[in-house]
Amino acid sequence: MLTRRGWDAIVSIVSAVIAIALVFLFPPANTARTVIALGAIGLFVLGYALIGRDAIEPPRAAWRYPAFLSVAAIATGIGAGAAPFMAMLQTLAYPLMWVIGDSRRRGIGGSAVIAASVFVGASFGYGPSLDSLLAGGTTAVFSLSFAIAIGLWIARIAEYGEERERLLAELTAAQSEVEALSRERGASAERERLARDIHDTLAQTLAGLVIFAERAGRQSRDGQTDAAAATIATVEQVARDALAESRALVARTAAVPSEPAFGAAVERLVARFREHGTTRIALDAEGVKGDLDRETQVVLLRCLQEALSNVTKHAAAANVAVRVEGGADGSAALVVSDDGRGFDPSQPSTGFGLEGMSGRVALAGGTLDVSSVVGRGTTVTVRLPGTDRHGADASAGAVALGPAASTDVTVPKGAPA
């Protein structure tokens, strides 16, 4: 769409060309008609300058369209009556009707008025006759048809451009909304991850410290000084572990705070449960054949920690078997089985432990399956895919828990896992 300055240039140039051609190339029959034709051009230009120009761009006053249409119709009619060549003034009148009218209905109506004015002027300017009526009608019909066709085509292009602009604005707004939602989702995921890490590390360790402190107090009151001293030493060690875990949680640089080797970390975790629990735990970590990435190590260790915590606290199991496997392709599996009391997996869990374990495994691209029979123990299966298998299933394993319906507190008696 042309601006006011663009139309100013077009109206000025075309009007000047018509006037020059009228005087030097297609002069009317006499001087009077020349003066009238030049006056019609001047009237048209004056009407544009005083009325039509300010209606080129929004906002448009309602009166400007009919006012300019009247001036343009009079100018073109008088011009066509004074000199046949003045029908060229339609080349300015028609497009301005569409621009100022700003609608199909007004564009077509204004074009019809201009065409009728040209017909009247051309037909009666040299006296009514069959030839003049035929010439005027032919000129009006063809010019009107051409104006309407071009007007509708240009209007369609303009509407298409406006529609694209609207869709682009909606797309930009939608992209901004998606970016905002993505940032919000990322922040939410980070909060969930931090909550799981705190639950799996600091919360359980601090709960274990409370248990050890209570045990040391009872032993001291009962006069068991040696046992109390040993428990206090354990409290000191667990507190150091908690400090290291908190630093690792902040730094997020190691799977286990004080153990760079994954196998040693597993053995240390199992040894802690052996030392402070009554359940016999058998560990088989010979199946780790490849180097596991840090995320896989974290998932396996936290799942093992949660599993042993639930077994010790809820399962009342006499024996637990732990098996850790890792393939050369980066896949991993963890197996922990117990012979405890079991539970009904169909019952909803109210705690955070099993839910947190499931979420952690899912984020790593793995799966968690819980299988348990009341009175016959529990099995939970964790599968972690390899990093170089392009989505293929990793080797499977099983992680056993105590009754997961009670995973709200997953700190075992005597174990700060």
Side-chain angles (χ1 to χ4, degrees), residues 178-224:
V178 169
E179 290 177 0
L181 292 175
S182 298
R183 288 193 296 269
E184 182 179 351
R185 175 57 182 167
S188 177
E190 181 65 14
R191 288 193 296 268
E192 293 176 2
R193 184 200 63 78
L194 185 59
R196 284 193 301 271
D197 287 343
I198 292 175
H199 172 269
D200 293 344
T201 57
L202 297 181
Q204 292 188 5
T205 303
L206 292 175
L209 284 174
V210 172
I211 295 174
F212 289 141
E214 292 175 350
R215 178 188 297 178
R218 289 194 302 269
Q219 291 171 341
S220 178
R221 288 190 297 270
D222 294 340
Q224 302 176 13

Side-chain angles (χ1 to χ4, degrees), residues 65 69 93-94 97 104-115 144:
Y65 172 76
L69 175 60
Y94 284 133
M97 289 301 103
R104 286 187 172 88
R105 181 177 62 83
R106 286 188 170 189
I108 295 174
S111 298
V113 171
I114 297 297
L144 176 62

Side-chain angles (χ1 to χ4, degrees), residues 324-337:
V324 182
E325 298 177 352
D329 59 353
S331 61
L334 173 68
V335 179
V336 179
S337 58

Side-chain angles (χ1 to χ4, degrees), residues 118 207 338:
V118 171
D338 73 78

Side-chain angles (χ1 to χ4, degrees), residues 69-377:
L69 175 60
S70 300
V71 173
I74 293 172
T76 54
I78 293 175
F85 180 74
M86 284 297 296
M88 291 295 296
L89 202 57
Q90 296 174 101
T91 59
L92 288 176
Y94 284 133
L96 283 172
M97 289 301 103
W98 284 86
V99 173
I100 296 175
D102 196 31
S103 69
R104 286 187 172 88
R105 181 177 62 83
R106 286 188 170 189
I108 295 174
S111 298
V113 171
I114 297 297
S117 177
V118 171
F119 169 73
V120 172
S123 298
F124 298 94
Y126 288 87
S129 65
L130 181 60
D131 291 340
S132 61
L133 290 174
L134 182 61
T138 303
T139 301
V141 169
F142 277 99
S143 61
L144 176 62
S145 301
F146 182 76
I148 292 176
I150 294 298
L152 292 175
W153 179 59
I154 294 176
R156 178 59 180 170
I157 293 176
E159 290 176 355
Y160 179 71
E162 292 175 356
E163 179 68 11
R164 284 177 60 88
E165 184 178 357
R166 182 186 66 81
L167 293 177
L168 180 60
E170 292 180 356
L171 178 60
T172 302
Q175 288 176 338
S176 300
E177 184 177 357
V178 169
E179 290 177 0
L181 292 175
S182 298
R183 288 193 296 269
E184 182 179 351
R185 175 57 182 167
S188 177
E190 181 65 14
R191 288 193 296 268
E192 293 176 2
R193 184 200 63 78
L194 185 59
R196 284 193 301 271
D197 287 343
I198 292 175
H199 172 269
D200 293 344
T201 57
L202 297 181
Q204 292 188 5
T205 303
L206 292 175
L209 284 174
V210 172
I211 295 174
F212 289 141
E214 292 175 350
R215 178 188 297 178
R218 289 194 302 269
Q219 291 171 341
S220 178
R221 288 190 297 270
D222 294 340
Q224 302 176 13
T225 56
D226 294 339
T231 303
I232 292 299
T234 302
V235 169
E236 180 181 356
Q237 180 59 43
V238 172
R240 293 181 184 277
D241 293 342
L243 178 60
E245 287 175 346
S246 64
R247 289 172 176 171
L249 185 60
V250 173
R252 297 167 60 188
T253 57
V256 175
S258 58
E259 291 289 349
F262 174 68
V266 172
E267 293 177 358
R268 180 170 176 267
L269 182 60
V270 171
R272 186 184 300 174
F273 278 88
R274 285 173 179 162
E275 181 178 356
H276 304 293
T278 59
T279 304
R280 292 186 295 273
I281 303 175
L283 172 62
D284 179 8
E286 299 299 326
V288 181
K289 299 178 181 179
D291 293 332
L292 303 179
D293 60 37
R294 183 166 299 165
E295 181 182 2
T296 300
Q297 294 181 31
V298 171
V299 173
L300 290 179
L301 286 169
R302 298 315 176 204
C303 287
L304 176 59
Q305 183 179 24
E306 189 70 39
L308 293 179
S309 296
N310 284 324
V311 168
T312 304
K313 186 171 181 63
H314 303 294
N319 298 283
V320 178
V322 177
R323 185 174 75 252
V324 182
E325 298 177 352
D329 59 353
S331 61
L334 173 68
V335 179
V336 179
S337 58
D338 73 78
D339 58 359
R341 65 182 63 156
F343 70 102
D344 185 0
S346 63
Q347 296 299 319
S349 174
T350 59
F352 185 80
L354 188 59
E355 180 181 354
M357 184 190 300
S358 177
R360 185 183 291 276
V361 172
L363 285 177
T367 59
L368 174 67
D369 300 325
V370 179
S371 175
S372 182
V373 178
V374 177
R376 296 186 180 181

